[in-house]
Amino acid sequence: MKKFPCIRLLFFIFLMNFAHTGVSQNRIVVHADQPGAKIDKAIYGQFAEHLGHCIYGGIYVGENSEIPNIKGFRSDVVAALKDLSVPLVRWPGGCFADTYHWKDGIGPKSERPSIVNVHWGGVTEDNSFGTHEFLDFCELIGADAYINLNVGSGTIREAAEWIEYVTSSNESPMTKLRKQNGREKPWNVKYWAVGNETWGCGGNMRPEYYADIYRNYSSFMRAPGIFKIASGANVEDYKWTEVLMREAGRMMNGLSLHYYTVPNNWQKKGSATDFDEAKWFVTLQKTLKMEELVTKHSAIMDQFDPKKRVGLLVDEWGCWYDVEPGTNPGFLYQQNSLRDALVAGINLNIFNNHADRVRMSNIAQMINVLQSVILTKDKEIVLTPTYYVFKMYKVHQDATALPVEIKCNQYTFGSQSIDAVNCSASVKNGVVSITLCNLDPNQSQEISFDVPGFNLSKVSGKIVTANKINAYNDFGKKEEVSLADFNGAKINKGKIETVLPSKSVVLIQLQ
Ligand code: AHR
């Protein structure tokens, strides 16, 4: 009789443990025996638009600034971006691109005309950051450049001359002008896009009309090794992809796709830091839609391009929240929490898993705008949780994707459920890297891995997590979210076993 309560207590303790650890259901097979496509390093690209304080104040402060700088570029930002191995930067927009006339941004700075940024806050810009500054900045951080041409309010001649100015080594009026402006040798710029969101801010076009415009522009875009990018679909506009691929697919190297994670709706998007578990759940659930979008757009591209010559380029993605209280609504300035780290980890895993078709992605945006990797305020700098995920995931750049099979627990909130674990894997220089997200904010996940085709001898790891779902890094405060060592993975009888902490992004590396 006396034993009975004790057994009940043990059973209760067992149940409590079970309640905090998603046991038994999580099994992952990483197929090192079936290497897949190369994960193009451009998947880890960034987007920098003339918007708010992304360019002015974020990247560029000018040579006379009191903020330490290298030829006008913030030294702290340059160092942080170099450490991230940023492979690619897209510029000058975004919606801004279709209002930008590049000749306004070359020559002596004192003679450059000002412009009004009509899309973003109506502010006047002095054009001190133009083509030379952008390309110098890319060289400084070791990134490739991706230039978005102006189709909405520009001309074919303007576009063709820009390409010539930047890339040509011939004797010509444009190369003469470039040399007069201090740059003897051409830059090696491979990626050029024909307009941005041409279904919206870039001209409100129909796909049939834009397909013809694209063919027209594309015919005059000449440079060695040029990679031509067509303005692609908004979210699930599959008709756009179909028409573009049918009418212009053979003249393009890449077709873009834009998808933002908006927790609520476009009128009231939700706060970046003041949110509960319901908003956490819906944000991650909406992020997982990227898998469906990439799969369905790829399937349409397969019909017209079965050899996968044309890349699907997700050149704008990220979380879009309400702006921080008291900031200019046109500047799209938002904080960045552990939730954003999960959003970044999930999206990047999806892109890695589709590396056969997805050849580029650009998080929106690099600094001080939407889901940024860096925030700046005057002299201060903050590295966001998203920054640390990019730092963790850089091991995948130019690695070979490994197919993953995953059987996992569900994370249930209210009446809805999503997979608790999200994962991708790659191999480079004999090291297998597996990146995992535990979407569940309450339960850790026990996982057992098989890695056929790989001899396990050593395991190590890194983690991004925090004790609150809305933990974030702020100016003048100790970091709440950063990158730490993770020692929770072990080799046991030829398998890897680990427990992923709740609400975490984890890298496991095998040698
Ligand atoms: O990233 C902000 C804006 O979002 C871009 O300018 C535009 O392309 C998109 O609608």
Side-chain angles (χ1 to χ4, degrees), residues 188-208:
N188 178 17
V189 178
K190 175 172 146 185
Y191 299 105
W192 296 85
V194 179
N196 166 72
E197 296 195 349
T198 48
W199 40 262
C201 64
N204 287 302
M205 302 176 201
R206 294 172 301 110
E208 293 81 2

Tab-separated table of all heavy atoms in Angstrom, residues 188-208:
chain	number	residue	atom	x	y	z
A	188	ASN	N	34.402	43.601	-61.997
A	188	ASN	CA	33.856	42.328	-62.449
A	188	ASN	C	32.462	42.134	-61.837
A	188	ASN	O	32.321	41.547	-60.767
A	188	ASN	CB	34.820	41.199	-62.025
A	188	ASN	CG	34.298	39.846	-62.425
A	188	ASN	OD1	33.413	39.746	-63.265
A	188	ASN	ND2	34.821	38.799	-61.807
A	189	VAL	N	31.454	42.689	-62.487
A	189	VAL	CA	30.088	42.544	-61.970
A	189	VAL	C	29.316	41.599	-62.881
A	189	VAL	O	29.106	41.888	-64.059
A	189	VAL	CB	29.367	43.908	-61.867
A	189	VAL	CG1	27.929	43.720	-61.376
A	189	VAL	CG2	30.116	44.831	-60.922
A	190	LYS	N	28.932	40.484	-62.301
A	190	LYS	CA	28.281	39.432	-63.086
A	190	LYS	C	26.753	39.565	-63.074
A	190	LYS	O	26.085	39.388	-64.081
A	190	LYS	CB	28.722	38.103	-62.440
A	190	LYS	CG	28.116	36.859	-62.970
A	190	LYS	CD	28.840	35.657	-62.324
A	190	LYS	CE	27.897	34.522	-62.106
A	190	LYS	NZ	28.447	33.376	-61.398
A	191	TYR	N	26.181	39.889	-61.917
A	191	TYR	CA	24.721	39.833	-61.750
A	191	TYR	C	24.051	41.170	-62.062
A	191	TYR	O	24.340	42.192	-61.415
A	191	TYR	CB	24.374	39.451	-60.312
A	191	TYR	CG	24.882	38.092	-59.887
A	191	TYR	CD1	25.984	37.970	-59.038
A	191	TYR	CD2	24.260	36.927	-60.327
A	191	TYR	CE1	26.441	36.721	-58.627
A	191	TYR	CE2	24.719	35.678	-59.926
A	191	TYR	CZ	25.809	35.589	-59.079
A	191	TYR	OH	26.260	34.352	-58.678
A	192	TRP	N	23.131	41.164	-63.034
A	192	TRP	CA	22.364	42.363	-63.399
A	192	TRP	C	20.894	41.991	-63.532
A	192	TRP	O	20.558	41.042	-64.245
A	192	TRP	CB	22.854	42.934	-64.740
A	192	TRP	CG	24.282	43.425	-64.710
A	192	TRP	CD1	25.403	42.676	-64.900
A	192	TRP	CD2	24.725	44.768	-64.481
A	192	TRP	NE1	26.532	43.470	-64.795
A	192	TRP	CE2	26.136	44.770	-64.540
A	192	TRP	CE3	24.060	45.985	-64.234
A	192	TRP	CZ2	26.902	45.912	-64.363
A	192	TRP	CZ3	24.829	47.127	-64.061
A	192	TRP	CH2	26.232	47.082	-64.120
A	193	ALA	N	20.026	42.761	-62.890
A	193	ALA	CA	18.579	42.457	-62.960
A	193	ALA	C	17.845	43.524	-63.754
A	193	ALA	O	18.166	44.707	-63.687
A	193	ALA	CB	17.992	42.371	-61.554
A	194	VAL	N	16.827	43.086	-64.473
A	194	VAL	CA	16.005	43.969	-65.319
A	194	VAL	C	14.761	44.364	-64.523
A	194	VAL	O	13.731	43.702	-64.573
A	194	VAL	CB	15.639	43.238	-66.623
A	194	VAL	CG1	14.778	44.125	-67.513
A	194	VAL	CG2	16.897	42.795	-67.363
A	195	GLY	N	14.899	45.446	-63.750
A	195	GLY	CA	13.769	45.941	-62.970
A	195	GLY	C	13.561	45.159	-61.689
A	195	GLY	O	14.156	44.094	-61.465
A	196	ASN	N	12.714	45.701	-60.840
A	196	ASN	CA	12.371	45.075	-59.559
A	196	ASN	C	10.863	45.110	-59.372
A	196	ASN	O	10.223	46.134	-59.657
A	196	ASN	CB	13.029	45.867	-58.411
A	196	ASN	CG	12.450	45.484	-57.052
A	196	ASN	OD1	12.705	44.390	-56.546
A	196	ASN	ND2	11.640	46.364	-56.468
A	197	GLU	N	10.303	44.023	-58.911
A	197	GLU	CA	8.856	43.949	-58.645
A	197	GLU	C	8.089	44.681	-59.747
A	197	GLU	O	7.314	45.608	-59.492
A	197	GLU	CB	8.522	44.493	-57.250
A	197	GLU	CG	9.159	43.649	-56.159
A	197	GLU	CD	8.626	43.854	-54.742
A	197	GLU	OE1	7.880	44.815	-54.497
A	197	GLU	OE2	8.963	43.029	-53.881
A	198	THR	N	8.313	44.249	-60.972
A	198	THR	CA	7.683	44.940	-62.106
A	198	THR	C	6.169	44.728	-62.124
A	198	THR	O	5.449	45.435	-62.819
A	198	THR	CB	8.315	44.464	-63.431
A	198	THR	OG1	8.365	43.041	-63.423
A	198	THR	CG2	9.709	45.019	-63.604
A	199	TRP	N	5.681	43.790	-61.289
A	199	TRP	CA	4.234	43.606	-61.110
A	199	TRP	C	3.672	44.651	-60.142
A	199	TRP	O	2.462	44.755	-59.952
A	199	TRP	CB	3.936	42.193	-60.574
A	199	TRP	CG	4.927	41.748	-59.531
A	199	TRP	CD1	6.018	40.944	-59.733
A	199	TRP	CD2	4.965	42.109	-58.146
A	199	TRP	NE1	6.727	40.762	-58.559
A	199	TRP	CE2	6.097	41.477	-57.572
A	199	TRP	CE3	4.164	42.901	-57.322
A	199	TRP	CZ2	6.438	41.614	-56.229
A	199	TRP	CZ3	4.503	43.040	-55.981
A	199	TRP	CH2	5.623	42.401	-55.453
A	200	GLY	N	4.567	45.411	-59.466
A	200	GLY	CA	4.140	46.365	-58.438
A	200	GLY	C	4.869	47.688	-58.594
A	200	GLY	O	4.736	48.375	-59.619
A	201	CYS	N	5.691	48.047	-57.573
A	201	CYS	CA	6.327	49.373	-57.565
A	201	CYS	C	7.208	49.602	-58.799
A	201	CYS	O	7.475	50.746	-59.162
A	201	CYS	CB	7.132	49.585	-56.286
A	201	CYS	SG	8.543	48.462	-56.100
A	202	GLY	N	7.629	48.546	-59.478
A	202	GLY	CA	8.502	48.714	-60.640
A	202	GLY	C	7.771	48.975	-61.939
A	202	GLY	O	8.389	48.961	-63.017
A	203	GLY	N	6.453	49.209	-61.888
A	203	GLY	CA	5.746	49.556	-63.119
A	203	GLY	C	4.347	48.996	-63.269
A	203	GLY	O	3.677	49.263	-64.265
A	204	ASN	N	3.909	48.193	-62.275
A	204	ASN	CA	2.542	47.620	-62.328
A	204	ASN	C	2.237	46.950	-63.667
A	204	ASN	O	1.185	47.174	-64.272
A	204	ASN	CB	1.503	48.704	-62.027
A	204	ASN	CG	1.516	49.060	-60.554
A	204	ASN	OD1	1.309	48.196	-59.708
A	204	ASN	ND2	1.806	50.307	-60.248
A	205	MET	N	3.163	46.120	-64.118
A	205	MET	CA	3.012	45.494	-65.447
A	205	MET	C	2.284	44.146	-65.363
A	205	MET	O	2.250	43.519	-64.305
A	205	MET	CB	4.384	45.269	-66.066
A	205	MET	CG	5.186	46.547	-66.217
A	205	MET	SD	6.836	46.199	-66.845
A	205	MET	CE	7.726	47.663	-66.325
A	206	ARG	N	1.776	43.716	-66.501
A	206	ARG	CA	1.274	42.354	-66.650
A	206	ARG	C	2.462	41.477	-67.058
A	206	ARG	O	3.401	41.966	-67.684
A	206	ARG	CB	0.194	42.288	-67.739
A	206	ARG	CG	-1.085	43.045	-67.414
A	206	ARG	CD	-2.011	43.097	-68.609
A	206	ARG	NE	-1.358	43.745	-69.753
A	206	ARG	CZ	-0.982	43.108	-70.858
A	206	ARG	NH1	-1.204	41.821	-71.011
A	206	ARG	NH2	-0.388	43.758	-71.836
A	207	PRO	N	2.415	40.167	-66.730
A	207	PRO	CA	3.581	39.333	-67.044
A	207	PRO	C	3.888	39.293	-68.535
A	207	PRO	O	5.062	39.276	-68.933
A	207	PRO	CB	3.200	37.947	-66.512
A	207	PRO	CG	1.726	37.983	-66.274
A	207	PRO	CD	1.360	39.411	-66.024
A	208	GLU	N	2.838	39.313	-69.381
A	208	GLU	CA	3.058	39.251	-70.838
A	208	GLU	C	3.829	40.505	-71.287
A	208	GLU	O	4.749	40.421	-72.104
A	208	GLU	CB	1.716	39.177	-71.585
A	208	GLU	CG	0.925	37.892	-71.367
A	208	GLU	CD	0.117	37.872	-70.067
A	208	GLU	OE1	0.126	38.893	-69.328
A	208	GLU	OE2	-0.504	36.841	-69.780
